[in-house]
Amino acid sequence: MAKAQTVTILSPVNGDVIALNKVKDPVFSAGMMGLGFGVQPSSGEVVAPVSGQVTMVAETKHAIGFTTPDDHLEVLVHLGIDTVDLKGAPFTVKVAAGDDVQAGGRDCHHGFSCYSSR
């Protein structure tokens, strides 16, 4: 049997946390991408939810992947719903794949007002 682990994951943005099954995206709300939660953002700053390495930044800048060094936990920060259609326009990303980050480090800024009504 696998040993239970406890990992602290920070909210990547300030705002109201919502249950994953309440997220208005069928892929995420059904848990197809794994366990998680949603956040209705109240600011545009995005921070690393875990310390580790950036494993990917989507070409459209709407998603950033992280892996923790000790337990190799994979964490995906997906910004917004249908934001891939925005082709990166509201996002400024400050990290790249291969970068080491600390939990809470400011990695990205998003113009969430561009899609907050979605």
Side-chain angles (χ1 to χ4, degrees):
M1 180 182 334
K3 181 181 172 189
Q5 297 181 31
T6 300
V7 177
T8 300
I9 299 177
L10 302 179
S11 175
V13 295
N14 287 325
D16 295 325
V17 175
I18 58 175
L20 190 61
N21 65 351
K22 302 294 183 194
V23 171
K24 295 178 181 175
D25 180 286
V27 172
F28 287 98
S29 65
M32 290 185 217
M33 297 296 291
L35 300 175
F37 56 90
V39 180
Q40 181 63 45
S42 60
S43 74
E45 290 300 318
V46 179
V47 301
V50 293
S51 294
Q53 189 172 73
V54 176
T55 54
M56 63 78 69
V57 176
E59 186 176 329
T60 53
K61 305 178 208 170
H62 74 287
I64 304 172
F66 303 88
T67 300
T68 61
D70 296 331
D71 48 20
H72 306 290
L73 176 69
E74 295 179 345
V75 177
L76 176 68
V77 174
H78 188 279
L79 302 168
I81 297 172
D82 296 329
T83 47
V84 70
D85 298 335
L86 299 175
K87 300 179 176 43
F91 307 110
T92 303
V93 178
K94 302 172 185 172
V95 295
D99 287 355
D100 290 324
V101 296
Q102 294 299 311
R106 293 184 175 155
D107 298 328
C108 178
H109 182 83
H110 66 86
F112 74 91
S113 60
C114 295
Y115 59 88
S116 63
S117 63
R118 291 184 180 198

